[in-house]
Amino acid sequence: MTPSRRQPGLAYKVYELLSSMRFAIGLLTIIAIASVIGTVLKQNEPYPNYAFEFGQFWFTAFEWLGLYDVYHSGWFLTILAFLVVSTSLCIVRNGPGFLREMKSFREKASDTSLELMKHSTLVAGEVDREAAGRYLTAQGFRLRPGEREDGWVLAGKKGAANKLGYFFAHIALVVICIGGLMDGNLPLKLGELFGTVVPETRDLPQSQIPAHSRLGSGNLSFRGNVTIGESRSADVVFLNSGKGYLVQELPFIVTLKKFHVDYYSNGMPKLFASDIVVTDKATGKETAATVKVNHPLVVDGVAIYQASFGDGGSPLEFKAWNLAAPQAQPVKLEGTSLATQPLRVNGQSYALEFGELRVFNIEEMGGKPQSASRSLAERMHDAREVKQEKNLKNLGPSITFKLRDAQGQATEFQHYMAPFQEEGASYLVAGMRSQVSEPFQYLRLPLDADQSLATFMRLRSALLDPSLYDEIARRTGARARAGNAISAQMQGEFENSVKWILARFAQGGFVALEKFLDERVPKEKRAEVAQTYVKILQGTVPDVMAVANARAGLPPPPSDKATYRFLLDGLVATSALNDYRAPLFLQLEGFQQVQASGLQLTRSPGKTLVYLGSLMLVIGIILMFYIREVRIWIRVRNGETRLALTSNRHNRDLDADFARHAKALQQLVRGA
Amino acid sequence: MELASTTFDPKPPFYRQLRLTDWLYALLVLSAAVFTFYRYGSYLDGYEAGILAGSAIGLIGLGWFWKAWRWYFPLSGLVALAAIGLYQGDLGRAQTAFGLKYLLSSQSSIMWMCTLFFLATLLYWMALLQRSELLGRIAAGLTWSASVAGLAGMFTRWYESYLIGPDIGHIPVSNLYEVFVLFCLITALMYLYYEARFAARQMGAFVLLVVSAAVGFILWYTFDRQAHEIQPLIPALQSWWMKIHVPANFIGYGAFAIAAMLGVAELMVMRGWLASRLPPAEVLDEVMYKAIAVGFLFFTIATILGAMWAADAWGGYWSWDPKETWALIVWLNYAAWLHIRLVKGWRGAPLAWWAVGGLFVTSFAFLGVNMFLSGLHSYGTL
Ligand code: HEM
């Protein structure tokens, strides 16, 4: 209580600042602001994305500020460290005083101070000491008597645990922060700073990654990911680190036996689970378990989580149709998803880069009409309905692949395996795009009654084969003549038109015909001529099929509606295949699904501390808010009794309590 | 004078203050819990059985602490049981059975809750402006009825989810629609407690405004987005943590919302607006502090539970996911608020403004994050 005469030194001033409330509140504000930045700016994206988004200047500036990983940046960790220091110093500074206060009863409080208390009253007459003591004890006060020259004092208090709350809550914060820093990547950051740890940026096979990018299995804390295919194993995980990654060695080998996915009836995933076996490297001890989302497995202090899943490299089987040799039979081609293989077709070299095999493609096929068009009654009806009616369809397995030519140009394809049904007809659907950013353009190849492409390919081969045009034109001409659609004189000219149109169509499909129209036919006549072309093509296509079948030794096609539709679809598909930028059409025939499971492995020894701190924090807050510290004094002197009461919380309950105590005291005095 | 010795008696211990009705209520809750365990125990894992026991104890405690709860909770349960009875195990009856279609199916109940909350808001304002005790009592009655409808609706929704499919059934705290209903309920109930405790019904005019805003959102979400449809739980949400994390969070949000609205009322009183009609600034200030203190406690617990859940589901107790980070920001905000008030001793306008501002921070954590930021918590996108 004695003010120091000395000028406080610098060290003391720093201590005072660091342990002050305003400094702490300042830190909390900065942490809050920094946290906001980290949520607004997406964290830990690949660096090129940032460069693209912000431009070179800001990209560099933000990188320098560490904004792409705010929560692990040096300055953020420094602020956290300051918070630990500040809170610790706060405890050091306030603690002793609080402890003293917790112990003391302040039975020496001066009469003036008692008189000045907000709750203080004087009653005429002296209260009986015993009775007063009994009353206060019954009210839950712990008491300490004091003798004074002119009488006596009885000091009572309750709720000292309130102050204990301060210790719990604030020590808790320090404990939590220390736990958090232990699990943070502080050691890694330091390693990177001093150059002992260098993140790898190249895409290398695991075994070739240099030692300075590898972390030993003794590493205290880490959080990394690894993807394992079924029946494969891994003994490392990969940690993201700024521009690159690091390899963390594990003390054990994880083998994925099988991965499971279950779906709800509406196509939403219901279960992701991996059957794994963990083999200890040192002892060979095996632990088998199934990890699911929300149910990790803990081995050796390392927790193994189900994080993601995907294709693990599935053997695939295709029928490859050579589009440049339409008459050729398809050949068998094998591959593996997620792998690249060389491909040589028609004298050209390609790289065939398989993407992911997806076994289910569940899509919503558009159910209810959209909101704007619904009537009020419908809306009311829907608002009462908690069950959704969705029109979902499983399009079946699909495979994506890229075909890269010798110049490095790639086109991406997405092929479905199962026939797509529409109005009784079946199609094979294939998508194509040359830019990843574009949507796929789909084409549909008609399937015959055997669900095979053979008929379509036969049709196509005849359409593209000029040596058959004479025969085709002859047949079409004869049919037209027989049906009296043309006169005998016109037959020869008509057959020439048929041949000419077929030749044009073979060159470039409908697009080639349209181009010819645009170049040679006056604008006002184009529509009419185009219609004639289309009519002739439609008229001749059954003959094309018949000739194609005859060449293959098959009977002519039936002349029914379904066949006709098939033939028209065949024309459209033949035309569309002109834009198909691959020399082969790869028809997915079979696969053997091998799945992969993305596991996250973490070791976080700070977790126990964090949980302990959290528990202390809750206890501390409860004590601070819900235990009221109350002190009471009964002071008797010169035939008068004073009642005084203080608390660290002032509210209306306190007024009521004081009134109650005052009334009781009056009764005690009178009763005495 | 003869002294009535009772004056000196210490306050009787808590259990001696309990009346017969308290014990009957406890018996009711206990039997409901035992029945649940007897009937469904085989579907519960150890944690869930623990939660069941904890809920029973918590509910008994709550009823003993706040007497009105003793009729509110059983009544809501009874209404839900009536709905369940009407269903006869067939979800289709929601559109055919009269009682379900217009009154008791979860959606009808929730729509009634919405309507009653709007009416209550209106009546609280009329009561405030006309200084009418009667209108105030009606408003409080409407708020209670809305809360019964809401809780019964939630119970019924829980049951309906099992009717859709046994594997789909789950407690309705799993998406933004459901938690909005929860928010309305919790805010209204906490308010009703303070209203009775501080005999200050005029606060309702302000508090019910936030509830009405939330109700407005629920209606838009239902009619425009069909968000009320019950969705099965994605694997990340299939956890018993959800059952305690989410409600704890919403006690926090509800309390902060109440505090903000009382802050508005306090600021108005300080400027003399409606001052003669509203409770004195000190009362508003005290309730505001109480609300923030409760909110802070539950928000702390909720955040810790969230961290523990994250440790199970995402592989780390803290991932700086936007939702987590904003929870931290909310928490820091109120920690600073409490320090300024309790350590520095501030009172009045600055803290009232701060509490109002706190609502914006809280709303961003609650809604803004879902709307504008993406992250692991993407269960509730708009
Ligand atoms: C993240 C940081 C912190 C949090 C979340 C926090 C939390 C709290 C809470 C919840 C209270 C309860 C208010 C009450 O009932 O009195 C409190 C009280 C207090 N805090 Fe902090 N605190 C933090 C840091 C600090 C620091 C750095 C100081 C140092 C100046 C400090 C000094 C105090 C003091 C002196 C009290 C009053 C204790 C009493 O009189 O009962 N706090 N704190």
Side-chain angles (χ1 to χ4, degrees):
Chain A
M1 283 279 120
T2 45
S4 143
R5 295 247 145 202
R6 274 189 312 132
Q7 278 287 57
L10 180 66
Y12 184 77
K13 275 190 186 153
V14 170
Y15 166 68
E16 194 149 57
L17 173 70
L18 285 181
S19 64
S20 73
M21 277 277 308
R22 74 199 134 90
F23 188 74
I25 296 218
L27 286 177
L28 297 187
T29 314
I30 300 175
I31 292 177
I33 293 171
S35 305
V36 172
I37 298 175
T39 63
V40 175
L41 192 72
K42 260 191 135 179
Q43 301 284 293
N44 293 312
E45 296 269 295
Y47 274 38
N49 293 11
Y50 291 121
F52 180 73
E53 196 176 336
F54 301 121
Q56 195 54 45
F57 176 75
W58 289 112
F59 169 73
T60 320
F62 288 173
E63 184 186 4
W64 187 78
L65 285 173
L67 295 192
Y68 307 133
D69 194 5
V70 171
Y71 310 115
H72 299 115
S73 67
W75 58 269
F76 191 81
L77 294 175
T78 312
I79 299 174
L80 277 188
F82 262 110
L83 189 68
V84 173
V85 171
S86 161
T87 314
S88 313
L89 290 181
C90 171
I91 299 166
V92 169
R93 185 173 160 183
N94 289 319
F98 283 177
L99 279 179
R100 231 176 295 125
E101 223 174 289
M102 276 171 70
K103 281 197 218 118
S104 106
F105 283 79
R106 292 206 226 144
E107 71 277 10
K108 304 234 160 63
S110 72
D111 288 331
T112 351
S113 72
L114 292 183
E115 200 175 320
L116 287 177
M117 280 175 187
K118 196 165 154 233
H119 294 106
S120 181
T121 182
L122 198 61
V123 178
E126 293 196 357
V127 70
D128 171 54
R129 200 166 166 168
E130 293 278 290
R134 263 200 315 274
Y135 171 73
L136 288 182
T137 312
Q139 292 291 327
F141 288 97
R142 289 194 294 133
L143 299 179
R144 173 160 307 168
E147 302 300 331
R148 304 261 168 111
E149 283 155 17
D150 53 356
W152 52 269
V153 69
L154 203 54
K157 66 167 183 182
K158 64 178 171 189
N162 173 282
K163 281 277 175 292
L164 208 56
Y166 167 85
F167 288 102
F168 266 98
H170 291 79
I171 293 175
L173 286 168
V174 177
V175 172
I176 292 174
C177 286
I178 292 176
L181 287 174
M182 266 167 76
D183 288 345
N185 54 0
L186 203 56
L188 277 192
K189 284 274 146 184
L190 290 178
E192 278 180 47
L193 202 64
F194 294 116
T196 51
V197 177
V198 184
E200 180 57 65
T201 49
R202 294 161 299 172
D203 199 3
L204 291 181
Q206 197 262 109
S207 53
Q208 288 171 28
I209 291 168
H212 58 222
S213 304
R214 305 180 82 93
L215 306 168
S217 60
N219 188 12
L220 198 62
S221 90
F222 59 82
R223 184 165 177 184
N225 290 287
V226 65
T227 303
I228 312 176
E230 281 171 332
S231 318
R232 312 251 171 81
S233 304
D235 66 348
V236 295
V237 290
F238 299 90
L239 318 184
N240 268 332
S241 179
K243 289 180 201 167
Y245 60 91
L246 296 166
V247 176
Q248 168 69 55
E249 319 249 0
L250 299 173
F252 48 68
I253 302 167
V254 186
T255 307
L256 178 68
K257 291 281 173 211
K258 181 121 192 69
F259 178 74
H260 312 267
V261 204
D262 284 356
Y263 295 93
Y264 291 107
S265 54
N266 74 349
M268 272 172 63
K270 178 175 171 182
L271 170 81
F272 302 125
S274 300
D275 298 338
I276 58 170
V277 176
V278 178
T279 315
D280 193 286
K281 279 181 184 165
T283 63
K285 196 180 121 236
E286 292 196 344
T287 317
T290 300
V291 295
K292 295 187 248 182
V293 178
N294 275 314
H295 299 274
L297 167 73
V298 181
V299 184
D300 259 3
V302 179
I304 305 174
Y305 297 88
Q306 182 67 58
S308 60
F309 69 99
D311 182 7
S314 310
L316 308 167
E317 212 175 281
F318 294 93
K319 251 186 203 168
W321 301 83
N322 188 339
L323 294 178
Q327 262 183 277
Q329 285 305 303
V331 294
K332 205 169 145 188
L333 187 139
E334 290 185 347
T336 306
S337 60
L338 300 178
T340 297
Q341 65 193 57
L343 184 69
R344 214 170 152 76
V345 197
N346 307 332
Q348 302 277 348
S349 296
Y350 299 88
L352 179 54
E353 305 169 2
F354 285 109
E356 207 182 353
L357 171 77
R358 291 183 57 177
V359 176
F360 295 104
N361 283 284
I362 292 168
E363 263 164 51
E364 199 177 328
M365 307 305 287
K368 290 176 191 163
Q370 258 321 289
S371 43
S373 58
R374 289 180 309 134
S375 71
L376 184 67
E378 279 172 318
R379 282 166 188 252
M380 291 305 287
H381 181 278
D382 287 350
R384 276 195 300 264
E385 192 76 79
V386 291
K387 186 177 171 187
Q388 60 211 345
E389 298 297 345
K390 284 225 172 83
N391 184 5
L392 296 166
K393 191 158 180 176
N394 182 2
L395 300 180
S398 72
I399 177 76
T400 54
F401 57 90
K402 280 186 185 154
L403 196 64
R404 195 177 293 281
D405 63 19
Q407 284 75 47
Q409 299 278 38
T411 308
E412 190 180 3
F413 299 88
Q414 183 187 31
H415 282 193
Y416 287 89
M417 178 172 169
F420 176 79
Q421 308 281 343
E422 195 181 84
E423 293 163 22
S426 307
Y427 303 89
L428 203 63
V429 177
M432 180 182 75
R433 64 180 173 192
S434 43
Q435 295 283 324
V436 183
S437 53
E438 286 171 6
F440 279 106
Q441 304 272 314
Y442 288 96
L443 60 88
R444 313 190 305 177
L445 308 184
L447 292 168
D448 56 27
D450 303 334
Q451 303 292 319
S452 149
L453 277 179
T455 311
F456 164 69
M457 288 296 180
R458 200 159 63 240
L459 173 70
R460 177 169 179 270
S461 76
L463 274 169
L464 302 183
D465 187 348
S467 69
L468 301 178
Y469 292 173
D470 283 339
E471 172 64 10
I472 295 169
R474 197 188 55 70
R475 291 192 185 202
T476 311
R479 272 201 303 124
R481 180 73 199 91
N484 273 329
I486 49 169
S487 63
Q489 299 93 305
M490 279 190 57
Q491 191 167 345
E493 199 183 317
F494 175 75
E495 285 174 17
N496 280 338
S497 308
V498 169
K499 282 190 267 185
W500 183 84
I501 290 172
L502 283 174
R504 278 269 150 196
F505 185 77
Q507 274 166 22
F510 293 114
V511 179
L513 286 170
E514 204 175 306
K515 203 167 147 227
F516 172 79
L517 288 176
D518 286 351
E519 281 167 10
R520 304 291 173 81
V521 179
K523 209 171 186 173
E524 59 284 1
K525 286 207 160 171
R526 274 180 210 158
E528 196 188 320
V529 179
Q531 243 187 357
T532 314
Y533 286 175
V534 170
K535 264 203 188 135
I536 291 179
L537 264 179
Q538 290 175 345
T540 198
V541 68
D543 299 312
V544 180
M545 192 75 248
V547 169
N549 280 5
R551 182 164 64 171
L554 295 168
S559 50
D560 55 22
K561 251 178 136 169
T563 311
Y564 189 53
R565 175 171 166 187
F566 175 89
L567 294 173
L568 295 188
D569 286 333
L571 276 179
V572 173
T574 306
S575 174
L577 275 178
N578 281 311
D579 299 327
Y580 190 76
R581 281 192 295 276
L584 285 177
F585 185 85
L586 292 182
Q587 184 187 0
L588 182 58
E589 279 278 291
F591 60 82
Q592 209 188 326
Q593 189 187 18
V594 175
Q595 304 187 85
S597 177
L599 299 177
Q600 182 170 91
L601 280 80
T602 68
R603 176 141 73 194
S604 43
K607 189 159 110 172
T608 329
L609 273 187
V610 171
Y611 287 178
L612 177 73
S614 302
L615 183 68
M616 288 172 64
L617 181 63
V618 172
I619 295 176
I621 292 177
I622 292 176
L623 292 180
M624 281 198 288
F625 290 157
Y626 296 103
I627 302 269
R628 194 172 58 190
E629 186 194 70
V630 185
R631 293 173 182 277
I632 199 164
W633 289 266
I634 291 180
R635 165 79 166 113
V636 170
R637 134 181 117 156
N638 305 336
E640 283 177 327
T641 304
R642 174 170 293 283
L643 175 74
L645 180 141
T646 70
S647 166
N648 61 342
R649 297 272 183 281
H650 296 282
N651 56 28
R652 302 196 315 167
D653 291 354
L654 198 65
D655 299 344
D657 282 352
F658 181 69
R660 197 160 49 81
H661 294 316
K663 197 167 148 225
L665 183 72
Q666 268 165 1
Q667 284 175 336
L668 283 174
V669 171
R670 260 180 268 141
Chain B
M1 177 187 165
E2 182 57 37
L3 259 181
S5 61
T6 49
T7 328
F8 300 159
D9 273 356
K11 270 206 236 162
F14 182 70
Y15 65 88
R16 297 259 305 271
Q17 294 174 36
L18 294 173
R19 303 276 163 75
L20 181 65
T21 39
D22 289 309
W23 291 111
L24 283 178
Y25 165 79
L27 192 67
L28 182 73
V29 173
L30 216 55
S31 9
V34 169
F35 172 77
T36 309
F37 188 75
Y38 173 72
R39 179 114 186 235
Y40 304 107
S42 51
Y43 300 103
L44 304 179
D45 65 23
Y47 296 109
E48 286 164 330
I51 292 177
L52 178 63
S55 312
I57 295 169
L59 285 168
I60 291 174
L62 188 54
W64 285 356
F65 167 72
W66 181 25
K67 304 296 178 191
W69 186 264
R70 290 173 316 179
W71 65 262
Y72 166 74
F73 184 71
L75 180 62
S76 309
L78 213 61
V79 174
L81 282 177
I84 291 169
L86 282 175
Y87 266 118
Q88 300 169 2
D90 171 16
L91 190 62
R93 283 177 53 83
Q95 298 283 6
T96 54
F98 183 86
L100 289 174
K101 186 168 176 185
Y102 295 105
L103 211 56
L104 293 179
S105 76
S106 71
Q107 275 307 105
S108 299
S109 272
I110 288 169
M111 289 302 129
W112 276 110
M113 176 196 86
C114 293
T115 316
L116 289 167
F117 272 139
F118 275 144
L119 281 178
T121 314
L122 200 70
L123 273 147
Y124 270 121
W125 275 99
M126 283 166 58
L128 179 71
L129 296 176
Q130 304 193 355
R131 301 172 201 267
S132 161
E133 171 70 16
L134 176 69
L135 286 178
R137 288 230 297 274
I138 297 176
L142 286 171
T143 311
W144 274 115
S145 326
S147 306
V148 170
L151 186 59
M154 292 292 260
F155 283 144
T156 309
R157 186 179 171 90
W158 196 349
Y159 173 74
E160 287 166 356
S161 68
Y162 280 91
L163 286 186
I164 292 180
D167 60 342
I168 289 180
H170 59 84
I171 186 171
V173 291
S174 68
N175 63 24
L176 203 55
Y177 176 80
E178 291 166 351
V179 298
F180 249 96
V181 178
L182 187 70
F183 172 80
C184 291
L185 271 180
I186 289 181
T187 311
L189 287 168
M190 287 178 82
Y191 162 70
L192 286 169
Y193 170 75
Y194 287 127
E195 173 187 286
R197 175 83 207 283
F198 290 87
R201 212 159 253 156
Q202 302 86 338
M203 301 187 301
F206 287 84
V207 176
L208 266 275
L209 283 181
V210 222
V211 177
S212 285
V215 163
F217 179 89
I218 292 178
L219 293 179
W220 169 78
Y221 214 33
T222 305
F223 285 97
D224 201 68
R225 296 295 181 91
Q226 284 94 53
H228 58 281
E229 287 168 354
I230 293 176
Q231 303 276 0
L233 288 182
I234 57 167
L237 292 183
Q238 293 165 8
S239 165
W240 52 273
W241 286 110
M242 181 179 82
K243 301 178 171 79
I244 45 182
H245 168 66
V246 178
N249 244 320
F250 277 82
I251 297 179
Y253 286 156
F256 296 149
I258 292 178
M261 294 320 284
L262 295 178
V264 173
E266 187 184 344
L267 288 169
M268 289 179 67
V269 171
M270 284 175 171
R271 269 157 216 235
W273 301 346
L274 295 177
S276 62
R277 293 181 160 83
L278 281 167
E282 297 74 50
V283 173
L284 294 170
D285 196 73
E286 191 177 329
V287 182
M288 178 169 77
Y289 159 71
K290 285 236 147 86
I292 289 187
V294 176
F296 187 71
L297 173 63
F298 276 91
F299 199 76
T300 308
I301 295 175
T303 309
I304 294 169
L305 292 174
M308 296 170 101
W309 183 4
D312 265 4
W314 300 334
Y317 52 83
W318 198 262
S319 314
W320 293 103
D321 154 81
K323 196 84 176 182
E324 278 175 358
T325 310
W326 274 92
L328 176 70
I329 293 167
V330 169
W331 190 76
L332 291 176
N333 177 53
Y334 287 103
W337 192 97
L338 287 164
H339 272 90
I340 295 281
R341 185 185 159 106
L342 296 168
V343 184
K344 294 271 164 193
W346 288 19
R347 289 290 186 283
L351 285 184
W353 277 113
W354 192 343
V356 175
L359 183 61
F360 289 95
V361 181
T362 310
S363 314
F364 192 84
F366 177 8
L367 277 180
V369 173
N370 297 19
M371 285 196 280
F372 304 117
L373 311 173
S374 65
L376 297 164
H377 262 95
S378 43
Y379 59 85
T381 44
L382 280 176

